Amino acid sequence: MSALKDPEFQALLKDLVSEERRKKRRRPNRFEARGLLLPLGTALLDGDPEVETALAKVRVILESEREAWHAAFDEELTLAATEHVRSCDPGFLKHPHYDFPYTVAARHRLEARLQAAEALDLAAPENLLDQIERADRILAPYLDSRDTAERG
């Protein structure tokens, strides 16, 4: 199933344009940012043909409160990036029972967030991208050695 067809994503889109929400004047939060970023990013990574239509809908939603959405996106991206950076500590990576599949899956979800944010013109700050890149360089040899051991 397309990430864009996910019932939670569809419900969030509906809520974000509802009259009730407008009346409450509730500011967007990181949970809503995540609810947009993950399905959109997954659709982008999967090459979903419907992603441009979904991005256009979300861009319209974001325009009404661009600064507030930017703050919500920044918070969500920072938290996800921080998890990745901390999980790439060599002290953890050397542990014999380190959960590499979780780290790889979390990194994939981080990439989905980053791709969606960029597509919505709310890209992550350069310093955050630099931290992610450093963490990826630390992680890579551990993944390479695991791949070699599994094939060997």
Side-chain angles (χ1 to χ4, degrees):
M1 175 175 78
S2 166
L4 301 175
K5 304 270 189 238
D6 180 77
E8 288 182 27
F9 177 66
Q10 291 299 317
L12 177 58
L13 289 178
K14 187 176 178 180
D15 177 62
L16 293 175
V17 297
S18 71
E19 187 62 34
E20 182 180 326
R21 184 184 177 93
R22 243 189 313 276
K23 286 179 184 176
K24 289 182 180 179
R25 295 182 175 227
R26 203 175 77 220
R27 291 178 53 86
N29 60 54
R30 71 179 177 88
F31 301 106
E32 292 166 328
R34 180 187 307 149
L36 294 174
L37 291 172
L38 284 173
L40 289 169
T42 299
L44 283 164
L45 293 172
D46 291 347
D48 189 320
E50 297 178 28
V51 72
E52 288 304 323
T53 302
L55 285 167
K57 286 180 187 177
V58 172
R59 285 184 191 108
V60 170
I61 292 168
L62 301 183
E63 283 309 311
S64 65
E65 298 179 90
R66 189 108 180 130
E67 286 185 34
W69 276 110
H70 196 278
F73 277 39
D74 276 352
E75 183 178 2
E76 176 59 21
L77 292 171
T78 299
L79 288 170
T82 300
E83 176 189 21
H84 177 63
V85 169
R86 289 186 177 169
S87 72
C88 292
D89 179 319
F92 296 144
L93 295 170
K94 291 176 184 172
H95 192 279
H97 300 292
Y98 185 81
D99 191 353
F100 284 99
Y102 174 84
T103 299
V104 170
R107 178 61 178 92
H108 184 74
R109 289 188 302 273
L110 173 57
E111 188 61 29
R113 290 175 175 96
L114 294 169
Q115 293 293 317
E118 185 174 325
L120 295 167
D121 299 321
L122 292 169
E126 278 302 313
N127 66 331
L128 193 63
L129 296 174
D130 290 343
Q131 292 173 24
I132 295 167
E133 186 178 325
R134 274 194 304 279
D136 287 346
R137 283 194 308 267
I138 292 168
L139 178 62
Y142 292 91
L143 294 178
D144 292 344
S145 66
R146 281 181 47 84
D147 289 344
T148 302
E150 288 174 3
R151 281 181 267 159

